[in-house]
Amino acid sequence: MKTDAHKTSVKGLVEGLEKLNMNVRAVRVDIKDITSDLTYPAIAGINSNKYGTIT
């Protein structure tokens, strides 16, 4: 698994959660697609240099 206390990757998160028998799916979306219709819990990795501040 490529997840530890110092770094992680989406692939590492998916593999680790699957090993814990969790139903997980990684998707890539545009910022406009982040709405209240998302299934939670969700983890979002946001490039703030490209999109600005999200609140």
Side-chain angles (χ1 to χ4, degrees):
M1 186 170 16
K2 295 181 181 172
T3 300
D4 61 27
H6 303 288
K7 62 182 176 180
T8 191
S9 66
V10 173
K11 182 180 178 189
L13 285 172
V14 169
E15 289 174 352
L17 292 169
E18 286 175 340
K19 286 181 181 180
L20 296 171
N21 295 319
M22 298 184 115
N23 183 10
V24 59
R25 158 175 79 154
V27 297
R28 181 178 292 200
V29 297
D30 288 331
I31 194 72
K32 65 180 172 45
D33 297 323
I34 299 176
T35 66
S36 61
D37 295 333
L38 287 174
T39 302
Y40 294 99
I43 299 171
I46 299 170
N47 182 343
S48 63
N49 293 330
K50 183 174 180 181
Y51 296 111
T53 303
I54 307 281
T55 59

